[in-house]
Amino acid sequence: MTEPVTFAPARAEDVPAIVALLADDQLGAAREDATDPTPYLTAFEAIDADPGELLMVGRRDGRVVATFQLSFIPGLSRGGAIRAQIEAVRVHADERGNGVGADLMAWAEAEARRRGCALLQLTSDATREDAHRFYERLGYVPSHVGFKKRLT
Amino acid sequence: MTEPVTFAPARAEDVPAIVALLADDQLGAAREDATDPTPYLTAFEAIDADPGELLMVGRRDGRVVATFQLSFIPGLSRGGAIRAQIEAVRVHADERGNGVGADLMAWAEAEARRRGCALLQLTSDATREDAHRFYERLGYVPSHVGFKKRLT
């Protein structure tokens, strides 16, 4: 670990590494099919073209070791506040316990503040108890229930 | 109740009525200041200019009786799925029990399907137990914990 992890917006050539991180996960394994890159590249183009979306990678020694997506959502609630939302946070199995997750969340929070967001929010699967302890340590309050309905 | 509730994108002149709905709420009352419309109108312009955001009103006999916001979030997860997210769902106190909430959620779901979304998601404050029963009846699964961190 000579170099620190650096965070930068994802490029199209990072997509396979990001999909590999999404698939290397207890819940993600059943949801991703990394054999066909086409739908992921199409999605990447939509994210990249949207000024309200920021797909990020963390690199160490040139290798993608982490990823997350930030969405900036304008709204009327809370005095017309912009809220930042973090989705799809993943750290490579080799890099867990190295502080990469905390660095990633600090980067996200700084960027949300820079864009004037009043709130940073995320949802985490109820089974990810270690992740919940991690978010609570960083000052996140588990005040809400996250509901999802699959449409396909 | 001669006319049904009709749903349409909010216009700038609807903003005061929407803010009144947001403020007329156990949790919202402390978070909104309807005496100064300026920040809400600024936020409205940002929402209105963003093709990934849809702020809606429900009207009956010309009066705004409901509101909600749909966000369409492209992502790499779940095979490059677009997810729809519902925020700031409110129904006027006079109209509760009239099926407006169910009509509103049906409209949101139809729009999410029309835009090819694979998932519809929302978070609801843990204290809103009636709302949770409502969402579960509509097929939403409370699979996640919603974390929030205030930045201001």
Side-chain angles (χ1 to χ4, degrees), chain A:
Chain A
M1 291 194 289
T2 50
E3 281 182 41
V5 172
T6 55
F7 295 98
R11 301 167 305 200
E13 55 263 39
D14 297 323
V15 169
I18 298 171
V19 175
L21 285 177
L22 296 175
D24 182 24
D25 174 82
Q26 201 180 339
L27 297 169
R31 295 197 296 230
E32 308 305 338
D33 175 11
T35 59
D36 179 8
T38 312
Y40 296 103
L41 289 167
T42 303
F44 174 79
E45 285 166 22
I47 298 166
D48 201 42
D50 188 334
E53 300 294 333
L54 194 51
L55 179 65
M56 298 289 299
V57 290
R59 282 194 190 81
R60 194 192 303 272
D61 299 324
R63 186 177 78 137
V64 171
V65 297
T67 182
F68 64 103
Q69 185 173 338
L70 268 174
S71 304
F72 301 96
I73 304 174
L76 294 191
S77 300
R78 298 170 186 254
I82 306 169
R83 56 182 74 202
Q85 179 164 300
I86 312 180
E87 293 262 9
V89 177
R90 296 289 187 282
V91 173
H92 195 285
D94 293 353
E95 287 276 359
R96 290 184 199 145
N98 290 348
V100 178
D103 288 352
L104 180 165
M105 294 300 290
W107 194 98
E109 186 173 327
E111 178 68 10
R113 289 182 188 275
R114 198 183 68 78
R115 296 203 189 204
C117 298
L119 197 75
L120 197 47
Q121 65 184 24
L122 60 93
T123 69
S124 179
D125 193 282
T127 61
R128 298 195 198 267
E129 292 177 15
D130 288 351
H132 300 178
R133 279 189 288 272
F134 169 73
Y135 293 126
E136 291 198 59
R137 276 200 305 276
L138 297 178
Y140 289 80
V141 180
S143 53
H144 284 61
V145 180
F147 289 87
K148 301 202 191 256
K149 182 173 184 173
R150 292 174 67 165
L151 302 183
T152 50

